[in-house]
Amino acid sequence: MILSLVGQESDIGSTLLNVVYLGSFVFFMIYGQKFQTWMILRDVGNAVLKLKTMRDKARSLAISTAKEVEKEDLDPTPRIDHFLEYFSIWPVGLDPGGIVPKFEHLLNVRDQRFKDEVKTIAPNADKIQANNLEGVIEVAIGLNAIYRIINHFYLLGKKTMSLYVIMQIQMQLHQIMEMAEAYSIAIKAFADGQPIGDGAGAIVAAKMMYGVPYKKISKEIVVAETQLDGRKLLILKAEGPGSTVGKPGDGIKKLIEEENGRVAMVVMIDAAGKLEGEKSGGVSEGTGAAIGGIGVEKFTIEEISVKYKIPVHAVIVKESIKESVSPMTKEILEGTDIALARVKRIIREGTEEGDTVIVAGIGNTVGVGQ
Amino acid sequence: MGSLSRNARAYSFYIFIIFALGMLFIGVYYISEALLILQSGDSEGGIFQLALGVFGVGASSYIFLRFRKKMTLLRQALPPTVITITECKKCGLKSLRNFVKGDFVFKSLDECKKCSEPMLITGVYAEKAKK
């Protein structure tokens, strides 16, 4: 009967192949979804393997960097292993009034905890080494978190064999792997103290303040006073070349208060996410506080600028999220020269001689001095 | 990742390759059969065989393409070459060299070969790694 269904009764080979084909249709009708789940699980499983390798490499690099900066014979491995799963519990958002100070407090505590931990791991490290080691550990924590989350969904998908559980992660897998790969490269940049894409704003500020004496204005933020066509420029950036972003919001607030609010303009330069198809290192300008993060620093800048009615201008150097945590590319470095020219033009066109202008270079200053 | 051993993954990789090669073989066989049937004048049977053959070749090509894509995704990114730009602010002498640990932007270096002024690092950037 089967032979008559598939035809060609005389040719047993063709008949067999026809049966296999028809069988495969039946198979995919019944087990299609299971097969798809299995295929996705394989994809995610491969990604988990790769993430595990990245996580292990990051851990090893964190340990070797700690050993390198710490001259004494202290073994940092147990401390680093404990710290790899460090987490923060964000404040409750049910009652949003007053949430920013809560975030600020939490971030300050977290930051201090990181610094204390680095001091315990490498008590003899100098400030630059300690900041870079902090960056390395932060990236290692990030990679560990990515690995654990993807592995969780992978194992959950495997356990339930649910297409919908595993699809949640598979749909974002490409972006997640790109980010993990960028972190994997970034950790080496932090260990070696190389500038990263996020440091574009810091480089612009450094170019403006190079050769001018500077002083500390707020936590890990330095300021230098210079002149541009009769305007007083107060240039601030995070104190390099160690890895830090500092607290530029506090710095800007303090400077404005020191000037009794008589500031004609604030210009902020930062690296910002480009859209697909846009050129890396391209420069755009706009209005508002150009600063990332949770929003605590942005809030501080917005509050003080509103209080004194100071216009805040933004100049951004475009780059992908991956580029922002990877070693700085030539295109982005060239973009900082364009951004510098734009900043000067904005100041010349928007202010008059005798005015005071604050220029803030935002971003991680790893590998960027002043 | 207890059950996810590298050996098991390697075996399943080979099974997939054999499966894809099998599909390709069947597809090619059907296409050649279809051509013979079409030549004999049975257009209906020939088209059916041809459709099966094209499906087989298409499915195997799809599997190979998926593997290629997956291999690209899984390939570890090569570390970029990092270049340091050194410049003399007085005479403008500019040179490029490989990044050395301890370099940072606006670090003063040894004297310039031309005018004995200290050289300055004016940029550090990464070049894409050659594949």
Side-chain angles (χ1 to χ4, degrees):
Chain A
M1 190 196 156
I2 292 171
L3 291 181
S4 67
L5 264 174
V6 295
Q8 300 174 3
E9 288 170 46
S10 56
D11 186 350
I12 191 76
S14 298
T15 308
L16 203 64
L17 289 174
N18 281 339
V19 170
V20 169
Y21 262 103
L22 287 172
S24 71
F25 281 115
V26 177
F27 173 80
F28 281 109
M29 260 196 298
I30 300 168
Y31 295 107
Q33 204 180 62
K34 282 257 180 273
F35 186 71
Q36 203 180 351
T37 311
W38 181 65
M39 293 283 284
I40 295 174
L41 270 171
R42 269 185 57 82
D43 272 356
V44 179
N46 284 330
V48 170
L49 264 183
K50 194 180 175 186
L51 285 170
K52 190 174 184 291
T53 314
M54 283 180 187
R55 191 272 310 256
D56 292 345
K57 271 189 185 169
R59 177 187 166 270
S60 304
L61 192 65
I63 292 166
S64 63
T65 309
K67 280 181 177 168
E68 200 179 302
V69 298
E70 181 49 48
K71 305 288 180 264
E72 280 177 26
D73 228 8
L74 289 173
D75 183 16
T77 314
R79 292 295 296 215
I80 287 176
D81 280 342
H82 288 165
F83 210 56
L84 279 181
E85 291 196 11
Y86 192 80
F87 61 89
S88 304
I89 301 166
W90 298 129
V92 65
L94 284 172
D95 182 11
I99 199 169
V100 177
K102 285 187 200 172
F103 264 114
E104 190 174 13
H105 174 65
L106 189 78
L107 291 174
N108 287 342
V109 172
R110 184 182 183 272
D111 194 41
Q112 194 52 49
R113 179 80 170 81
F114 266 75
K115 291 199 184 310
D116 292 345
E117 195 64 29
V118 167
K119 216 168 177 68
T120 315
I121 291 166
N124 293 319
D126 63 33
K127 200 181 169 190
I128 297 168
Q129 287 171 329
N131 279 354
N132 288 347
L133 180 59
E134 203 183 311
V136 169
I137 294 173
E138 278 216 52
V139 175
I141 289 173
L143 274 171
N144 188 42
I146 295 174
Y147 163 71
R148 285 169 56 223
I149 292 166
I150 304 298
N151 191 39
H152 165 77
F153 277 98
Y154 170 70
L155 294 177
L156 200 65
K158 221 173 158 185
K159 195 162 84 178
T160 57
M161 276 308 272
S162 162
L163 183 65
Y164 304 100
V165 169
I166 198 71
M167 260 175 79
Q168 290 178 58
I169 219 71
Q170 197 248 0
M171 283 190 285
Q172 303 169 62
L173 197 61
H174 188 75
Q175 286 94 320
I176 293 168
M177 291 309 286
E178 259 204 359
M179 180 52 76
E181 219 154 69
Y183 274 6
S184 198
I185 296 169
I187 195 163
K188 183 86 174 69
F190 283 115
D192 291 347
Q194 295 163 357
I196 58 168
D198 186 48
I203 287 197
V204 175
K207 282 178 179 173
M208 293 183 87
M209 71 198 284
Y210 175 68
V212 182
Y214 59 85
K215 62 174 184 181
K216 215 166 166 179
I217 183 84
S218 65
K219 195 180 175 190
E220 294 180 329
I221 293 286
V222 288
V223 63
E225 188 180 324
T226 182
Q227 292 280 323
L228 177 75
D229 298 341
R231 283 93 165 155
K232 183 171 100 174
L233 301 188
L234 299 168
I235 324 264
L236 64 86
K237 72 179 274 290
E239 189 177 8
S243 163
T244 182
V245 290
K247 289 181 77 69
D250 289 354
I252 292 172
K253 186 180 177 185
K254 201 167 171 190
L255 283 177
I256 292 172
E257 280 168 351
E258 277 178 8
E259 295 289 323
N260 295 315
R262 283 190 288 273
V263 172
M265 179 189 281
V266 175
V267 186
M268 299 180 74
I269 313 111
D270 196 7
K274 72 177 180 81
L275 300 173
E276 279 303 321
E278 284 186 323
K279 192 176 153 273
S280 285
V283 176
S284 290
E285 56 189 77
T287 310
I291 187 163
I294 286 172
V296 174
E297 297 297 310
K298 197 173 183 179
F299 180 82
T300 311
I301 297 161
E302 285 169 355
E303 284 277 292
I304 195 76
S305 62
V306 167
K307 185 179 174 188
Y308 291 104
K309 302 276 179 283
I310 302 166
V312 179
H313 294 273
V315 174
I316 55 153
V317 180
K318 293 182 194 175
E319 55 195 66
S320 66
I321 295 170
K322 185 180 172 181
E323 284 171 327
S324 70
V325 291
S326 302
M328 184 173 284
T329 61
K330 197 177 181 186
E331 291 78 24
I332 296 169
L333 184 64
E334 285 167 354
T336 61
D337 287 327
I338 303 165
L340 177 63
R342 290 273 189 108
V343 170
K344 286 181 178 173
R345 184 181 55 73
I346 291 168
I347 295 168
R348 284 191 187 107
E349 289 175 359
T351 59
E352 290 171 0
E353 279 186 34
D355 282 346
T356 300
V357 177
I358 294 173
V359 179
I362 309 299
N364 194 312
T365 192
V366 59
V368 185
Q370 53 271 326
Chain B
M1 287 280 305
S3 59
L4 194 77
S5 79
R6 277 177 193 276
N7 277 345
R9 306 198 81 76
Y11 287 136
S12 61
F13 170 78
Y14 290 124
I15 290 167
F16 255 101
I17 290 291
I18 291 164
F19 180 68
L21 284 172
M23 290 279 275
L24 185 67
F25 170 75
I26 293 168
V28 170
Y29 171 79
Y30 266 98
I31 290 171
S32 62
E33 281 284 297
L35 291 175
L36 286 173
I37 296 167
L38 284 171
Q39 273 173 357
S40 70
D42 180 6
S43 60
E44 199 180 316
I47 287 167
F48 177 68
Q49 294 271 9
L50 192 66
L52 287 176
V54 169
F55 173 76
V57 172
S60 60
S61 308
Y62 173 73
I63 292 171
F64 282 124
L65 279 174
R66 265 187 69 89
F67 266 115
R68 202 164 156 240
K69 199 178 159 194
K70 200 184 286 176
M71 287 302 128
T72 318
L73 182 77
L74 292 174
R75 199 178 293 139
Q76 292 280 341
L78 292 168
T81 311
V82 181
I83 305 291
T84 297
I85 308 170
T86 61
E87 220 173 314
C88 175
K89 283 285 171 188
K90 196 180 173 193
C91 71
L93 179 74
K94 201 172 173 179
S95 66
L96 304 179
R97 62 165 170 77
N98 281 336
F99 176 87
V100 179
K101 203 169 179 177
D103 283 357
F104 61 85
V105 181
F106 293 118
K107 181 186 180 183
S108 289
L109 299 169
D110 296 340
E111 287 178 352
C112 168
K113 286 173 194 164
K114 269 168 89 179
C115 63
S116 305
E117 277 289 307
M119 295 283 279
L120 189 71
I121 295 177
T122 53
V124 174
Y125 66 88
E127 275 185 340
K128 275 180 191 155
K130 289 182 182 89
K131 285 182 182 172

